Amino acid sequence: MRRPPAVARVLERVTATAREHGMFLPGQTVLVSVSGGPDSVCLLHALHALRRLFRIRLAVFHFDHRLRPGSERDAAYVRRIADRLGLPLLSMAAEEPPNPRMSVEHWARDVRRAASVEAMREAGAERIALGHTANDQAETVLMAAITGSGLEAMAGIRPVTPPWVHPLLDVTRAEVEAFCRALRLRPRMDPMNRDVRLLRGALRLRGIPALERATGREVIAPLARTAALLREDAEELARQAAPAVAELVEEVPRGVELPATGLLDLPRAIARRVVREAVLRCGTVPTREDVEAVLDLAAGRAGRRRDLSAGLKAAREAGYVRLSRPSPESS
């Protein structure tokens, strides 16, 4: 049976993206994360249509963040889709309210990702497929630029970050919506996606349309291409930094030591990546301020100290900078 053009277009893009980035191996089970919104519903139906081509098995994952009344109806909707397609469903819900020290977006992403990994193990899956589109990629690039987040963030969403894969990354939101209309699908709509108080929502609903009106050109595809080019640069810098990380980052009890002179002899871009890796090995996600603080200590006199994120301590000793995790008694 011939597929509608809108459906065929998405399936062609997904096939090309998955093959280019080696997203799936024959025989793998892929856990498809489905919120019930247009992107994830499109992703599920696309992978279901392509499952024999890729020779993969599918399972469905839904996570209820419990951020709004009636969110349980999304889970019921996803269950109906999974039943209709004959696929197993793993459904979970947040057990705690959002962390007040984090943005709601970051909290939601973190708890959903942790739950999806648990569900992946339960399903015996090797991959988790997410429904991010080319529009999400463009929004991510702009968010990174606006917040001054650096090259890695400007490189956007990576097609593959095991176990996560993004098969819709070369599909636009307009193409997703056309796909759903062609198949008479009726996805759920999350009101948070239209909340302009959130940076992503403001860019989606106001910023990008304003850019397109002001320039008279479409910006989604160029921004997505920019992310791909910057990703190549970021990966090359990471390769160049790897020998320096191996040479300079010395793990010690309760932390890491970095030779100050060796750090200062590196090009600044490489030195930042060495420091970032050192902070990560201490179990903390580094901020820009953390990285610059460590480099400042390396350039200064012995005896200086700085407090970093998550209770991490940095001290300039004779010849090196020591990063120390907080002791269990102080936590």
Side-chain angles (χ1 to χ4, degrees), residues 82-316:
D83 288 346
R84 192 178 309 130
L85 296 177
L87 300 175
L89 170 68
L90 292 90
S91 187
M92 299 181 181
E95 297 179 355
E96 302 289 340
N99 185 337
R101 295 190 298 274
M102 301 172 66
S103 73
V104 172
E105 288 175 295
H106 286 169
W107 170 85
R109 180 198 61 197
D110 288 352
V111 296
R112 181 176 64 250
R113 284 204 159 201
S116 68
V117 171
E118 181 182 342
M120 179 186 71
R121 296 192 185 110
E122 186 175 335
E126 292 84 9
R127 287 285 186 266
I128 303 172
L130 304 177
H132 294 114
T133 65
N135 292 64
D136 293 303
Q137 184 71 291
E139 292 157 11
T140 300
V141 172
L142 286 176
M143 288 172 68
I146 289 170
T147 56
S149 300
L151 179 60
E152 277 74 16
M154 287 285 291
I157 303 165
R158 284 157 174 75
V160 178
T161 307
W164 292 281
V165 295
H166 300 87
L168 292 183
L169 213 50
D170 295 315
V171 177
T172 67
R173 192 165 291 129
E175 289 169 333
V176 162
E177 292 168 354
F179 179 100
C180 291
R181 286 194 301 271
L183 293 181
R184 295 185 174 84
L185 304 173
R186 299 192 178 193
R188 304 278 295 174
M189 296 298 172
D190 185 349
M192 286 188 67
N193 290 333
R194 304 193 66 80
D195 188 347
V196 295
R197 294 171 298 178
L198 303 175
L199 179 56
R200 187 177 290 276
L203 287 172
R204 176 177 299 171
L205 299 174
R206 295 180 178 172
I208 289 177
L211 275 175
E212 292 182 333
R213 287 193 301 271
T215 61
R217 62 178 65 190
E218 188 269 335
V219 302
I220 298 298
L223 285 169
R225 286 197 300 273
T226 296
L229 292 169
L230 292 176
R231 192 158 54 246
E232 291 178 4
D233 292 346
E235 289 168 355
E236 177 57 31
L237 281 171
R239 281 192 290 271
Q240 291 185 27
V245 169
E247 180 183 353
L248 300 180
V249 179
E250 181 180 354
E251 297 193 46
V252 297
R254 291 191 47 235
V256 165
E257 289 181 355
L258 294 163
T261 302
L263 200 58
L264 296 174
D265 285 344
L266 295 172
R268 192 81 170 181
I270 302 298
R272 286 194 181 100
R273 282 160 176 78
V274 172
V275 173
R276 193 175 294 123
E277 178 63 25
V279 174
L280 283 170
R281 291 192 186 185
C282 291
T284 299
V285 177
T287 66
R288 182 174 60 255
E289 292 77 14
D290 291 339
V291 173
E292 296 304 322
V294 173
L295 292 174
D296 177 64
L297 286 175
R301 67 183 187 279
R304 298 170 64 221
R305 299 175 182 275
R306 295 285 293 272
D307 291 334
L308 307 182
S309 299
L312 194 64
K313 306 287 185 181
R316 177 65 155 90

